Amino acid sequence: MLADRVLIDDLNKLGADFTLVLGDISGQPGAGGPEMTQRAVELLRGLQMPWRNLIGNHDLEFEQIETDRENVVLWLRAHGYRLPWHREDRGPLTFLFLSTERFREHDIQPHEVYFTQRQLAWANDELKRCAGRPVVIASHAPVLGSNLLVNAEMHVRAGNAYINQNHVPGQIMDLCCRHRNILFWFSGHSHLSHAHPDAIVNTLGIHFVHTGTTSADWAREMKRHSRVVDVEPERVVIRTFDHDKRALDPSLDFVIPHSLDHLMAARQARAR
Ligand SMILES: [Fe+2]
């Protein structure tokens, strides 16, 4: 339901070095179950470049599984991963992938994207280890306090717009404040298009980037968008790929006129 072979062909034609998938790959009926998860992973295996996925709220909602742990394990096995979180160094950048780990065991809102304290401790340790390297974080939902676009009422219901929304959400922004090597944070979840001024925001010197959906059934504003990022020597360009036009939409280019080194230096300067 979420995607088809055309989408994979289009992504392959872009020739990216690396693809980040931001979760919620699993469609209805049977989202989060073995069949839908496996089908989505098989589709993603058609990508001809290295790629990595993380867990979104709908990936853990299979009704016939009793515990969140079992649903997480199902997802991990389908991908051949060992843990829900992951670090990957590619060229000058370090990528951290962070996953939600809870659905049915939530008391307030099952769809809240939730990082455990164990996962947050891992992220904290990794960020310390790569203190000199620019870091890109990928998660399914955005960070409370980032000022990034969210859809407060429709679909992203009260209580699940942000990571750990009902469980001390300020811990996530605190991580951003303490680690001055985080330069980018990509998230999805709200299915909105990229044509909003706050679909990319710079808060604390970090670019928080909303990423749309590839799904025809769940796209808001009738737009199916992915991000394409060009890291050039003296600038970074965050582009939009329109899956209906099957092409980049240059009107939505977001140009950061600085090198990665400059962006790192700017974050250090802000901290003083
Ligand atoms: Fe979601």
Side-chain angles (χ1 to χ4, degrees):
M1 193 167 76
L2 294 181
D4 55 28
R5 189 60 62 179
V6 171
L7 168 93
I8 299 297
D9 291 345
D10 286 346
L11 294 177
N12 283 334
K13 279 184 202 140
L14 285 168
D17 295 316
F18 185 41
T19 293
L20 289 67
V21 187
L22 297 175
D24 273 6
I25 56 168
S26 189
Q28 298 287 1
E35 188 192 338
M36 290 308 283
T37 304
Q38 200 60 50
R39 276 174 59 187
V41 171
E42 278 166 22
L43 194 68
L44 287 166
R45 287 200 171 122
L47 290 172
Q48 290 163 355
M49 78 294 289
W51 59 274
R52 181 87 192 185
N53 192 11
L54 52 82
I55 308 175
N57 52 306
H58 290 294
D59 297 318
L60 297 184
E61 67 170 334
F62 191 53
E63 287 179 1
Q64 290 161 44
I65 287 179
E66 286 187 7
T67 67
D68 289 336
R69 183 181 165 78
E70 283 174 90
N71 218 155
V72 168
V73 168
L74 182 158
W75 187 96
L76 291 173
R77 284 190 180 147
H79 289 77
Y81 299 162
R82 199 173 61 85
L83 290 166
W85 48 85
H86 178 70
R87 169 179 168 176
E88 182 127 357
D89 290 355
R90 291 202 164 260
L93 292 165
T94 290
F95 295 88
L96 296 188
F97 291 81
L98 303 176
S99 282
T100 189
E101 297 176 71
R102 192 185 280 180
F103 185 83
R104 55 195 64 60
E105 287 154 29
H106 271 316
D107 295 330
I108 299 172
Q109 167 52 263
H111 288 275
E112 179 192 342
V113 168
Y114 179 72
F115 299 167
T116 56
Q117 292 304 307
R118 184 182 170 206
Q119 181 170 192
L120 283 171
W122 174 84
N124 190 52
D125 288 348
E126 285 306 321
L127 285 162
K128 271 192 223 161
R129 274 192 204 108
C130 61
R133 286 176 63 84
V135 173
V136 179
I137 297 189
S139 67
H140 184 66
V143 180
L144 182 66
S146 64
N147 303 321
L148 190 68
L149 167 80
V150 295
N151 194 338
E153 295 188 15
M154 300 292 287
H155 169 72
V156 181
R157 288 165 279 190
N160 79 330
Y162 302 101
I163 303 160
N164 286 23
Q165 185 161 343
N166 306 307
H167 295 87
V168 198
Q171 277 188 310
I172 315 299
M173 197 41 123
D174 182 53
L175 197 74
C176 295
C177 291
R178 282 185 289 108
H179 296 285
R180 295 163 202 158
N181 49 340
I182 303 172
L183 295 189
F184 300 94
W185 191 306
F186 284 80
S187 59
H189 189 45
S190 67
H191 306 189
L192 291 160
S193 86
H194 295 177
H196 296 268
D198 52 354
I200 300 178
V201 293
N202 185 336
T203 301
L204 294 176
I206 302 168
H207 285 88
F208 292 89
V209 184
H210 164 67
T211 305
T213 181
T214 57
S215 165
D217 296 310
W218 297 101
R220 296 193 185 287
E221 306 159 318
M222 306 301 288
K223 292 291 182 192
R224 300 165 62 219
H225 284 159
S226 291
R227 296 289 188 187
V228 177
V229 183
D230 287 330
V231 180
E232 300 173 6
E234 295 303 324
R235 64 177 198 165
V236 178
V237 186
I238 304 176
R239 306 181 195 277
T240 291
F241 189 87
D242 184 316
H243 290 288
D244 292 308
K245 293 180 185 162
R246 300 188 64 192
L248 291 165
D249 180 347
S251 73
L252 296 175
D253 278 4
F254 186 94
V255 179
I256 302 168
H258 302 295
S259 64
L260 292 176
D261 286 347
H262 181 101
L263 292 171
M264 282 286 273
R267 276 224 68 193
Q268 306 292 324
R270 275 168 194 259
R272 283 198 285 272

PDB file of all heavy atoms in Angstrom, residues 219-249:
ATOM      1  N   ALA A 219      -0.952  10.357   1.820  1.00  0.00           N
ATOM      2  CA  ALA A 219      -0.303  11.662   1.627  1.00  0.00           C
ATOM      3  C   ALA A 219      -1.274  12.778   1.990  1.00  0.00           C
ATOM      4  O   ALA A 219      -2.436  12.737   1.610  1.00  0.00           O
ATOM      5  CB  ALA A 219       0.143  11.816   0.187  1.00  0.00           C
ATOM      6  N   ARG A 220      -0.789  13.779   2.698  1.00  0.00           N
ATOM      7  CA  ARG A 220      -1.595  14.966   2.947  1.00  0.00           C
ATOM      8  C   ARG A 220      -1.328  15.963   1.825  1.00  0.00           C
ATOM      9  O   ARG A 220      -0.264  15.957   1.238  1.00  0.00           O
ATOM     10  CB  ARG A 220      -1.211  15.601   4.274  1.00  0.00           C
ATOM     11  CG  ARG A 220      -1.510  14.682   5.412  1.00  0.00           C
ATOM     12  CD  ARG A 220      -1.453  15.368   6.743  1.00  0.00           C
ATOM     13  NE  ARG A 220      -1.635  14.339   7.756  1.00  0.00           N
ATOM     14  CZ  ARG A 220      -2.788  13.751   8.001  1.00  0.00           C
ATOM     15  NH1 ARG A 220      -3.874  14.103   7.352  1.00  0.00           N
ATOM     16  NH2 ARG A 220      -2.879  12.812   8.902  1.00  0.00           N
ATOM     17  N   GLU A 221      -2.308  16.807   1.557  1.00  0.00           N
ATOM     18  CA  GLU A 221      -2.138  17.874   0.559  1.00  0.00           C
ATOM     19  C   GLU A 221      -1.799  17.293  -0.817  1.00  0.00           C
ATOM     20  O   GLU A 221      -1.223  17.979  -1.659  1.00  0.00           O
ATOM     21  CB  GLU A 221      -1.048  18.853   1.009  1.00  0.00           C
ATOM     22  CG  GLU A 221      -1.325  19.398   2.392  1.00  0.00           C
ATOM     23  CD  GLU A 221      -0.088  19.943   3.060  1.00  0.00           C
ATOM     24  OE1 GLU A 221       0.982  19.348   2.975  1.00  0.00           O
ATOM     25  OE2 GLU A 221      -0.207  20.996   3.696  1.00  0.00           O
ATOM     26  N   MET A 222      -2.116  16.006  -1.002  1.00  0.00           N
ATOM     27  CA  MET A 222      -1.929  15.328  -2.297  1.00  0.00           C
ATOM     28  C   MET A 222      -0.480  15.398  -2.779  1.00  0.00           C
ATOM     29  O   MET A 222      -0.219  15.442  -3.967  1.00  0.00           O
ATOM     30  CB  MET A 222      -2.864  15.949  -3.356  1.00  0.00           C
ATOM     31  CG  MET A 222      -4.319  15.975  -2.952  1.00  0.00           C
ATOM     32  SD  MET A 222      -4.982  14.335  -2.606  1.00  0.00           S
ATOM     33  CE  MET A 222      -5.066  13.689  -4.254  1.00  0.00           C
ATOM     34  N   LYS A 223       0.445  15.431  -1.846  1.00  0.00           N
ATOM     35  CA  LYS A 223       1.848  15.482  -2.245  1.00  0.00           C
ATOM     36  C   LYS A 223       2.595  14.290  -1.669  1.00  0.00           C
ATOM     37  O   LYS A 223       2.500  14.009  -0.473  1.00  0.00           O
ATOM     38  CB  LYS A 223       2.516  16.768  -1.735  1.00  0.00           C
ATOM     39  CG  LYS A 223       1.996  18.028  -2.391  1.00  0.00           C
ATOM     40  CD  LYS A 223       2.410  18.110  -3.845  1.00  0.00           C
ATOM     41  CE  LYS A 223       1.929  19.394  -4.488  1.00  0.00           C
ATOM     42  NZ  LYS A 223       2.067  19.367  -5.954  1.00  0.00           N
ATOM     43  N   ARG A 224       3.327  13.621  -2.529  1.00  0.00           N
ATOM     44  CA  ARG A 224       4.170  12.498  -2.102  1.00  0.00           C
ATOM     45  C   ARG A 224       5.617  12.926  -2.279  1.00  0.00           C
ATOM     46  O   ARG A 224       6.103  13.030  -3.397  1.00  0.00           O
ATOM     47  CB  ARG A 224       3.863  11.264  -2.953  1.00  0.00           C
ATOM     48  CG  ARG A 224       2.419  10.806  -2.851  1.00  0.00           C
ATOM     49  CD  ARG A 224       2.079   9.834  -3.972  1.00  0.00           C
ATOM     50  NE  ARG A 224       2.895   8.640  -3.899  1.00  0.00           N
ATOM     51  CZ  ARG A 224       3.401   8.023  -4.964  1.00  0.00           C
ATOM     52  NH1 ARG A 224       3.193   8.467  -6.174  1.00  0.00           N
ATOM     53  NH2 ARG A 224       4.124   6.942  -4.805  1.00  0.00           N
ATOM     54  N   HIS A 225       6.270  13.188  -1.165  1.00  0.00           N
ATOM     55  CA  HIS A 225       7.598  13.795  -1.206  1.00  0.00           C
ATOM     56  C   HIS A 225       8.658  12.959  -0.493  1.00  0.00           C
ATOM     57  O   HIS A 225       8.394  12.407   0.575  1.00  0.00           O
ATOM     58  CB  HIS A 225       7.560  15.173  -0.522  1.00  0.00           C
ATOM     59  CG  HIS A 225       6.936  16.251  -1.346  1.00  0.00           C
ATOM     60  ND1 HIS A 225       6.424  17.404  -0.806  1.00  0.00           N
ATOM     61  CD2 HIS A 225       6.759  16.366  -2.690  1.00  0.00           C
ATOM     62  CE1 HIS A 225       5.959  18.178  -1.770  1.00  0.00           C
ATOM     63  NE2 HIS A 225       6.135  17.570  -2.913  1.00  0.00           N
ATOM     64  N   SER A 226       9.847  12.947  -1.063  1.00  0.00           N
ATOM     65  CA  SER A 226      11.051  12.479  -0.368  1.00  0.00           C
ATOM     66  C   SER A 226      12.091  13.597  -0.411  1.00  0.00           C
ATOM     67  O   SER A 226      11.987  14.521  -1.219  1.00  0.00           O
ATOM     68  CB  SER A 226      11.643  11.240  -1.051  1.00  0.00           C
ATOM     69  OG  SER A 226      10.812  10.126  -0.887  1.00  0.00           O
ATOM     70  N   ARG A 227      13.084  13.493   0.443  1.00  0.00           N
ATOM     71  CA  ARG A 227      14.197  14.455   0.434  1.00  0.00           C
ATOM     72  C   ARG A 227      15.391  13.877  -0.315  1.00  0.00           C
ATOM     73  O   ARG A 227      15.632  12.669  -0.249  1.00  0.00           O
ATOM     74  CB  ARG A 227      14.644  14.765   1.866  1.00  0.00           C
ATOM     75  CG  ARG A 227      13.608  15.454   2.733  1.00  0.00           C
ATOM     76  CD  ARG A 227      13.398  16.881   2.309  1.00  0.00           C
ATOM     77  NE  ARG A 227      12.537  17.599   3.262  1.00  0.00           N
ATOM     78  CZ  ARG A 227      12.093  18.823   3.038  1.00  0.00           C
ATOM     79  NH1 ARG A 227      12.421  19.477   1.932  1.00  0.00           N
ATOM     80  NH2 ARG A 227      11.319  19.425   3.922  1.00  0.00           N
ATOM     81  N   VAL A 228      16.114  14.751  -0.982  1.00  0.00           N
ATOM     82  CA  VAL A 228      17.383  14.388  -1.608  1.00  0.00           C
ATOM     83  C   VAL A 228      18.398  15.418  -1.128  1.00  0.00           C
ATOM     84  O   VAL A 228      18.174  16.618  -1.287  1.00  0.00           O
ATOM     85  CB  VAL A 228      17.280  14.427  -3.148  1.00  0.00           C
ATOM     86  CG1 VAL A 228      18.630  14.109  -3.778  1.00  0.00           C
ATOM     87  CG2 VAL A 228      16.213  13.443  -3.634  1.00  0.00           C
ATOM     88  N   VAL A 229      19.479  14.965  -0.519  1.00  0.00           N
ATOM     89  CA  VAL A 229      20.442  15.901   0.066  1.00  0.00           C
ATOM     90  C   VAL A 229      21.757  15.832  -0.707  1.00  0.00           C
ATOM     91  O   VAL A 229      22.331  14.751  -0.862  1.00  0.00           O
ATOM     92  CB  VAL A 229      20.698  15.571   1.554  1.00  0.00           C
ATOM     93  CG1 VAL A 229      21.643  16.596   2.171  1.00  0.00           C
ATOM     94  CG2 VAL A 229      19.386  15.520   2.319  1.00  0.00           C
ATOM     95  N   ASP A 230      22.186  16.979  -1.187  1.00  0.00           N
ATOM     96  CA  ASP A 230      23.499  17.085  -1.845  1.00  0.00           C
ATOM     97  C   ASP A 230      24.451  17.804  -0.895  1.00  0.00           C
ATOM     98  O   ASP A 230      24.230  18.974  -0.570  1.00  0.00           O
ATOM     99  CB  ASP A 230      23.390  17.888  -3.151  1.00  0.00           C
ATOM    100  CG  ASP A 230      22.697  17.100  -4.249  1.00  0.00           C
ATOM    101  OD1 ASP A 230      22.812  15.858  -4.245  1.00  0.00           O
ATOM    102  OD2 ASP A 230      22.035  17.711  -5.092  1.00  0.00           O
ATOM    103  N   VAL A 231      25.479  17.091  -0.471  1.00  0.00           N
ATOM    104  CA  VAL A 231      26.504  17.715   0.365  1.00  0.00           C
ATOM    105  C   VAL A 231      27.654  18.109  -0.554  1.00  0.00           C
ATOM    106  O   VAL A 231      28.354  17.250  -1.088  1.00  0.00           O
ATOM    107  CB  VAL A 231      26.990  16.748   1.468  1.00  0.00           C
ATOM    108  CG1 VAL A 231      28.053  17.419   2.332  1.00  0.00           C
ATOM    109  CG2 VAL A 231      25.815  16.284   2.328  1.00  0.00           C
ATOM    110  N   GLU A 232      27.793  19.408  -0.778  1.00  0.00           N
ATOM    111  CA  GLU A 232      28.825  19.924  -1.676  1.00  0.00           C
ATOM    112  C   GLU A 232      29.936  20.566  -0.829  1.00  0.00           C
ATOM    113  O   GLU A 232      29.734  20.818   0.356  1.00  0.00           O
ATOM    114  CB  GLU A 232      28.194  20.949  -2.642  1.00  0.00           C
ATOM    115  CG  GLU A 232      27.090  20.319  -3.491  1.00  0.00           C
ATOM    116  CD  GLU A 232      26.325  21.342  -4.336  1.00  0.00           C
ATOM    117  OE1 GLU A 232      26.716  22.530  -4.363  1.00  0.00           O
ATOM    118  OE2 GLU A 232      25.327  20.937  -4.966  1.00  0.00           O
ATOM    119  N   PRO A 233      31.105  20.868  -1.440  1.00  0.00           N
ATOM    120  CA  PRO A 233      32.215  21.405  -0.621  1.00  0.00           C
ATOM    121  C   PRO A 233      31.854  22.683   0.134  1.00  0.00           C
ATOM    122  O   PRO A 233      32.239  22.858   1.282  1.00  0.00           O
ATOM    123  CB  PRO A 233      33.316  21.663  -1.661  1.00  0.00           C
ATOM    124  CG  PRO A 233      33.024  20.703  -2.768  1.00  0.00           C
ATOM    125  CD  PRO A 233      31.527  20.579  -2.826  1.00  0.00           C
ATOM    126  N   GLU A 234      31.096  23.581  -0.499  1.00  0.00           N
ATOM    127  CA  GLU A 234      30.827  24.869   0.134  1.00  0.00           C
ATOM    128  C   GLU A 234      29.356  25.100   0.471  1.00  0.00           C
ATOM    129  O   GLU A 234      28.969  26.203   0.842  1.00  0.00           O
ATOM    130  CB  GLU A 234      31.333  26.011  -0.758  1.00  0.00           C
ATOM    131  CG  GLU A 234      32.853  26.023  -0.928  1.00  0.00           C
ATOM    132  CD  GLU A 234      33.598  26.113   0.406  1.00  0.00           C
ATOM    133  OE1 GLU A 234      33.117  26.799   1.339  1.00  0.00           O
ATOM    134  OE2 GLU A 234      34.661  25.478   0.518  1.00  0.00           O
ATOM    135  N   ARG A 235      28.525  24.086   0.261  1.00  0.00           N
ATOM    136  CA  ARG A 235      27.114  24.262   0.618  1.00  0.00           C
ATOM    137  C   ARG A 235      26.428  22.901   0.722  1.00  0.00           C
ATOM    138  O   ARG A 235      26.957  21.887   0.246  1.00  0.00           O
ATOM    139  CB  ARG A 235      26.384  25.147  -0.394  1.00  0.00           C
ATOM    140  CG  ARG A 235      26.322  24.556  -1.778  1.00  0.00           C
ATOM    141  CD  ARG A 235      25.526  25.431  -2.739  1.00  0.00           C
ATOM    142  NE  ARG A 235      25.128  24.656  -3.905  1.00  0.00           N
ATOM    143  CZ  ARG A 235      24.205  25.014  -4.782  1.00  0.00           C
ATOM    144  NH1 ARG A 235      23.582  26.163  -4.646  1.00  0.00           N
ATOM    145  NH2 ARG A 235      23.893  24.242  -5.804  1.00  0.00           N
ATOM    146  N   VAL A 236      25.257  22.926   1.343  1.00  0.00           N
ATOM    147  CA  VAL A 236      24.413  21.723   1.425  1.00  0.00           C
ATOM    148  C   VAL A 236      23.065  22.107   0.826  1.00  0.00           C
ATOM    149  O   VAL A 236      22.487  23.141   1.189  1.00  0.00           O
ATOM    150  CB  VAL A 236      24.226  21.275   2.895  1.00  0.00           C
ATOM    151  CG1 VAL A 236      23.305  20.055   2.965  1.00  0.00           C
ATOM    152  CG2 VAL A 236      25.574  20.970   3.554  1.00  0.00           C
ATOM    153  N   VAL A 237      22.581  21.294  -0.109  1.00  0.00           N
ATOM    154  CA  VAL A 237      21.274  21.574  -0.714  1.00  0.00           C
ATOM    155  C   VAL A 237      20.321  20.433  -0.363  1.00  0.00           C
ATOM    156  O   VAL A 237      20.626  19.269  -0.619  1.00  0.00           O
ATOM    157  CB  VAL A 237      21.381  21.728  -2.246  1.00  0.00           C
ATOM    158  CG1 VAL A 237      20.020  22.155  -2.818  1.00  0.00           C
ATOM    159  CG2 VAL A 237      22.450  22.750  -2.609  1.00  0.00           C
ATOM    160  N   ILE A 238      19.202  20.810   0.253  1.00  0.00           N
ATOM    161  CA  ILE A 238      18.177  19.819   0.608  1.00  0.00           C
ATOM    162  C   ILE A 238      17.052  19.973  -0.405  1.00  0.00           C
ATOM    163  O   ILE A 238      16.378  21.007  -0.449  1.00  0.00           O
ATOM    164  CB  ILE A 238      17.674  20.032   2.048  1.00  0.00           C
ATOM    165  CG1 ILE A 238      18.851  19.987   3.031  1.00  0.00           C
ATOM    166  CG2 ILE A 238      16.627  18.973   2.408  1.00  0.00           C
ATOM    167  CD1 ILE A 238      18.496  20.280   4.472  1.00  0.00           C
ATOM    168  N   ARG A 239      16.898  18.969  -1.247  1.00  0.00           N
ATOM    169  CA  ARG A 239      15.940  19.046  -2.355  1.00  0.00           C
ATOM    170  C   ARG A 239      14.711  18.191  -2.049  1.00  0.00           C
ATOM    171  O   ARG A 239      14.708  17.386  -1.116  1.00  0.00           O
ATOM    172  CB  ARG A 239      16.581  18.557  -3.656  1.00  0.00           C
ATOM    173  CG  ARG A 239      17.876  19.267  -4.013  1.00  0.00           C
ATOM    174  CD  ARG A 239      18.432  18.747  -5.338  1.00  0.00           C
ATOM    175  NE  ARG A 239      19.818  19.135  -5.533  1.00  0.00           N
ATOM    176  CZ  ARG A 239      20.209  20.315  -6.009  1.00  0.00           C
ATOM    177  NH1 ARG A 239      19.342  21.233  -6.350  1.00  0.00           N
ATOM    178  NH2 ARG A 239      21.496  20.592  -6.143  1.00  0.00           N
ATOM    179  N   THR A 240      13.700  18.344  -2.905  1.00  0.00           N
ATOM    180  CA  THR A 240      12.472  17.560  -2.789  1.00  0.00           C
ATOM    181  C   THR A 240      12.253  16.755  -4.057  1.00  0.00           C
ATOM    182  O   THR A 240      12.282  17.319  -5.161  1.00  0.00           O
ATOM    183  CB  THR A 240      11.265  18.492  -2.538  1.00  0.00           C
ATOM    184  OG1 THR A 240      11.390  19.045  -1.230  1.00  0.00           O
ATOM    185  CG2 THR A 240       9.947  17.732  -2.655  1.00  0.00           C
ATOM    186  N   PHE A 241      12.045  15.448  -3.885  1.00  0.00           N
ATOM    187  CA  PHE A 241      11.645  14.605  -5.014  1.00  0.00           C
ATOM    188  C   PHE A 241      10.137  14.414  -4.937  1.00  0.00           C
ATOM    189  O   PHE A 241       9.606  14.005  -3.900  1.00  0.00           O
ATOM    190  CB  PHE A 241      12.361  13.250  -4.949  1.00  0.00           C
ATOM    191  CG  PHE A 241      12.162  12.433  -6.197  1.00  0.00           C
ATOM    192  CD1 PHE A 241      13.012  12.575  -7.285  1.00  0.00           C
ATOM    193  CD2 PHE A 241      11.101  11.537  -6.295  1.00  0.00           C
ATOM    194  CE1 PHE A 241      12.820  11.840  -8.449  1.00  0.00           C
ATOM    195  CE2 PHE A 241      10.901  10.795  -7.455  1.00  0.00           C
ATOM    196  CZ  PHE A 241      11.758  10.941  -8.536  1.00  0.00           C
ATOM    197  N   ASP A 242       9.441  14.752  -6.032  1.00  0.00           N
ATOM    198  CA  ASP A 242       7.981  14.618  -6.101  1.00  0.00           C
ATOM    199  C   ASP A 242       7.663  13.283  -6.775  1.00  0.00           C
ATOM    200  O   ASP A 242       7.967  13.092  -7.957  1.00  0.00           O
ATOM    201  CB  ASP A 242       7.412  15.798  -6.906  1.00  0.00           C
ATOM    202  CG  ASP A 242       5.897  15.793  -6.935  1.00  0.00           C
ATOM    203  OD1 ASP A 242       5.304  14.714  -7.147  1.00  0.00           O
ATOM    204  OD2 ASP A 242       5.298  16.873  -6.773  1.00  0.00           O
ATOM    205  N   HIS A 243       7.042  12.369  -6.031  1.00  0.00           N
ATOM    206  CA  HIS A 243       6.833  11.011  -6.557  1.00  0.00           C
ATOM    207  C   HIS A 243       5.712  10.947  -7.589  1.00  0.00           C
ATOM    208  O   HIS A 243       5.621   9.953  -8.307  1.00  0.00           O
ATOM    209  CB  HIS A 243       6.563  10.040  -5.409  1.00  0.00           C
ATOM    210  CG  HIS A 243       7.777   9.800  -4.568  1.00  0.00           C
ATOM    211  ND1 HIS A 243       8.849   9.050  -5.002  1.00  0.00           N
ATOM    212  CD2 HIS A 243       8.119  10.254  -3.338  1.00  0.00           C
ATOM    213  CE1 HIS A 243       9.785   9.042  -4.071  1.00  0.00           C
ATOM    214  NE2 HIS A 243       9.368   9.760  -3.058  1.00  0.00           N
ATOM    215  N   ASP A 244       4.880  11.972  -7.667  1.00  0.00           N
ATOM    216  CA  ASP A 244       3.863  11.979  -8.727  1.00  0.00           C
ATOM    217  C   ASP A 244       4.444  12.524 -10.028  1.00  0.00           C
ATOM    218  O   ASP A 244       4.211  11.974 -11.098  1.00  0.00           O
ATOM    219  CB  ASP A 244       2.634  12.767  -8.278  1.00  0.00           C
ATOM    220  CG  ASP A 244       1.928  12.023  -7.147  1.00  0.00           C
ATOM    221  OD1 ASP A 244       1.646  10.819  -7.330  1.00  0.00           O
ATOM    222  OD2 ASP A 244       1.710  12.613  -6.084  1.00  0.00           O
ATOM    223  N   LYS A 245       5.228  13.602  -9.907  1.00  0.00           N
ATOM    224  CA  LYS A 245       5.917  14.121 -11.103  1.00  0.00           C
ATOM    225  C   LYS A 245       7.074  13.202 -11.512  1.00  0.00           C
ATOM    226  O   LYS A 245       7.591  13.313 -12.618  1.00  0.00           O
ATOM    227  CB  LYS A 245       6.479  15.522 -10.828  1.00  0.00           C
ATOM    228  CG  LYS A 245       5.410  16.592 -10.628  1.00  0.00           C
ATOM    229  CD  LYS A 245       6.083  17.939 -10.355  1.00  0.00           C
ATOM    230  CE  LYS A 245       5.055  18.996 -10.029  1.00  0.00           C
ATOM    231  NZ  LYS A 245       5.648  20.165  -9.351  1.00  0.00           N
ATOM    232  N   ARG A 246       7.495  12.367 -10.589  1.00  0.00           N
ATOM    233  CA  ARG A 246       8.646  11.462 -10.789  1.00  0.00           C
ATOM    234  C   ARG A 246       9.908  12.265 -11.126  1.00  0.00           C
ATOM    235  O   ARG A 246      10.694  11.894 -11.995  1.00  0.00           O
ATOM    236  CB  ARG A 246       8.353  10.397 -11.840  1.00  0.00           C
ATOM    237  CG  ARG A 246       7.169   9.525 -11.469  1.00  0.00           C
ATOM    238  CD  ARG A 246       6.976   8.357 -12.399  1.00  0.00           C
ATOM    239  NE  ARG A 246       8.109   7.444 -12.330  1.00  0.00           N
ATOM    240  CZ  ARG A 246       8.319   6.447 -13.198  1.00  0.00           C
ATOM    241  NH1 ARG A 246       7.471   6.265 -14.187  1.00  0.00           N
ATOM    242  NH2 ARG A 246       9.351   5.659 -13.064  1.00  0.00           N
ATOM    243  N   ALA A 247      10.052  13.396 -10.426  1.00  0.00           N
ATOM    244  CA  ALA A 247      11.205  14.286 -10.679  1.00  0.00           C
ATOM    245  C   ALA A 247      11.435  15.167  -9.460  1.00  0.00           C
ATOM    246  O   ALA A 247      10.545  15.324  -8.613  1.00  0.00           O
ATOM    247  CB  ALA A 247      10.916  15.169 -11.891  1.00  0.00           C
ATOM    248  N   LEU A 248      12.628  15.764  -9.405  1.00  0.00           N
ATOM    249  CA  LEU A 248      12.897  16.767  -8.378  1.00  0.00           C
ATOM    250  C   LEU A 248      12.032  17.996  -8.638  1.00  0.00           C
ATOM    251  O   LEU A 248      11.747  18.332  -9.800  1.00  0.00           O
ATOM    252  CB  LEU A 248      14.381  17.159  -8.412  1.00  0.00           C
ATOM    253  CG  LEU A 248      15.368  16.078  -7.952  1.00  0.00           C
ATOM    254  CD1 LEU A 248      16.782  16.452  -8.377  1.00  0.00           C
ATOM    255  CD2 LEU A 248      15.297  15.887  -6.442  1.00  0.00           C
ATOM    256  N   ASP A 249      11.601  18.663  -7.571  1.00  0.00           N
ATOM    257  CA  ASP A 249      10.847  19.917  -7.698  1.00  0.00           C
ATOM    258  C   ASP A 249      11.770  21.056  -7.261  1.00  0.00           C
ATOM    259  O   ASP A 249      11.909  21.318  -6.059  1.00  0.00           O
ATOM    260  CB  ASP A 249       9.605  19.854  -6.806  1.00  0.00           C
ATOM    261  CG  ASP A 249       8.783  21.132  -6.904  1.00  0.00           C
ATOM    262  OD1 ASP A 249       9.294  22.129  -7.455  1.00  0.00           O
ATOM    263  OD2 ASP A 249       7.642  21.129  -6.407  1.00  0.00           O
TER     264      ASP A 249
END
